[in-house]
């Protein structure tokens, strides 16, 4: 939680100083950056990088994201979850995994179309695993091509090994509390 707060403060102060290139306020710069990041605008990336330094902000954003822990610690998870709703899981490290799709355009190239087409979603897409701990901590995994089935994705994505390593490092009273994948 502390890292999230520090990231927020660093992001807000990053553009608080006047920029010699633009007359936009820091709020306008952030609005433009978030529009670009979440593809709400169709401006050319190279123009935005040249005029507003979007590439620097994206690098800072990504570095902050990658510095966060992948999973919430057992103590954080337990402290932040709803005690009435999740009381029966107090001695467990529960994580829920699912798959989600990220829509993609239809490709003219047959091999790209075949690699990205998902029978389950009925469209061209990328597929990504998404996890959530009971405290609300969301764990996004890397996206793969849409044609991959869930079983091979879960077996090869690497998050199960990462969970094992995390639980062995996050001891509670000297004991390992294993993840329970739902």
């Amino acid at each position: 939680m502390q890292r999230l707060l520090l990231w927020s403060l660093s992001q807000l102060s990053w553009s608080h100083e006047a920029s010699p290139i633009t007359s936009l306020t820091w709020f306008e710069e952030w609005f433009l950056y978030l529009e670009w990041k979440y593809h709400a605008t169709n401006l050319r990336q190279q123009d935005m990088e040249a005029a507003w330094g979007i590439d620097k902000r994206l690098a800072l954003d990504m570095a902050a994201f990658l510095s966060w822990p992948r999973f919430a610690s057992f103590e954080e998870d337990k402290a932040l979850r709803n005690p009435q709703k999740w009381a029966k899981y107090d001695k467990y490290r529960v994580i829920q995994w699912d798959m989600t799709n990220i829509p993609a355009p239809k490709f003219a190239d047959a091999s790209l179309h075949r690699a990205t087409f998902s029978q389950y979603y009925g469209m061209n897409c990328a597929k990504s695993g998404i996890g959530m701990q009971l405290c609300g901590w969301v764990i996004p995994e890397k996206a793969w091509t849409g044609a991959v089935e869930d079983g091979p994705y879960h077996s090869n994505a690497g998050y199960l090994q990462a969970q094992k390593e995390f639980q062995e490092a996050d001891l509670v009273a000297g004991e390992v509390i294993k993840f329970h994948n739902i």
Side-chain angles (χ1 to χ4, degrees):
M1 195 56 99
Q2 183 181 11
R3 287 184 182 192
L4 179 60
L5 181 58
L6 289 172
W7 172 81
S8 300
L9 292 173
S10 72
Q11 291 290 315
L12 288 173
S13 63
W14 184 85
S15 62
H16 194 64
E17 298 173 6
S19 170
I21 303 171
T22 180
S23 61
L24 296 176
T25 67
W26 68 270
F27 180 76
E28 291 168 330
E29 285 185 18
W30 265 106
F31 191 82
L32 177 66
Y33 167 70
L34 293 172
E35 271 191 336
W36 169 79
K37 181 177 178 183
Y38 295 106
H39 308 290
T41 185
N42 222 3
L43 296 174
R44 293 184 336 159
Q45 180 177 347
Q46 65 190 30
D47 294 338
M48 294 180 73
E49 288 175 355
W52 292 290
I54 293 293
D55 57 336
K56 294 175 193 161
R57 185 162 293 145
L58 180 60
L60 181 63
D61 194 17
M62 196 61 182
F65 173 73
L66 292 174
S67 74
W68 297 343
R70 192 165 182 183
F71 306 100
S73 72
F74 179 77
E75 295 301 326
E76 289 171 324
D77 187 32
K78 190 175 174 183
L80 294 172
R81 63 174 85 154
N82 182 328
Q84 291 82 28
K85 186 174 183 181
W86 303 115
K88 65 182 176 181
Y89 297 111
D90 278 350
K91 297 178 182 172
Y92 300 98
R93 190 189 302 257
V94 177
I95 190 164
Q96 303 164 354
W97 286 101
D98 199 4
M99 296 290 290
T100 189
N101 69 315
I102 304 161
K106 287 187 177 180
F107 295 99
D109 183 298
S111 62
L112 281 175
H113 180 77
R114 188 171 37 261
T116 60
F117 189 80
S118 167
Q119 291 288 340
Y120 181 81
Y121 292 110
M123 67 169 65
N124 292 85
C125 64
K127 288 171 69 175
S128 177
I130 187 90
M132 181 182 285
Q133 290 179 260
L134 296 180
C135 67
W137 190 263
V138 176
I139 303 110
E141 287 297 317
K142 292 180 180 166
W144 289 20
T145 59
V148 69
E149 294 184 20
D150 292 4
Y153 180 91
H154 293 302
S155 298
N156 298 307
Y159 68 83
L160 295 174
Q161 180 62 31
Q163 280 179 190
K164 184 175 187 267
E165 292 168 8
F166 186 86
Q167 72 194 16
E168 290 170 355
D170 185 37
L171 301 176
V172 178
E175 293 184 33
V176 173
I177 299 178
K178 294 183 178 180
F179 277 98
H180 291 277
N181 294 312
I182 298 177

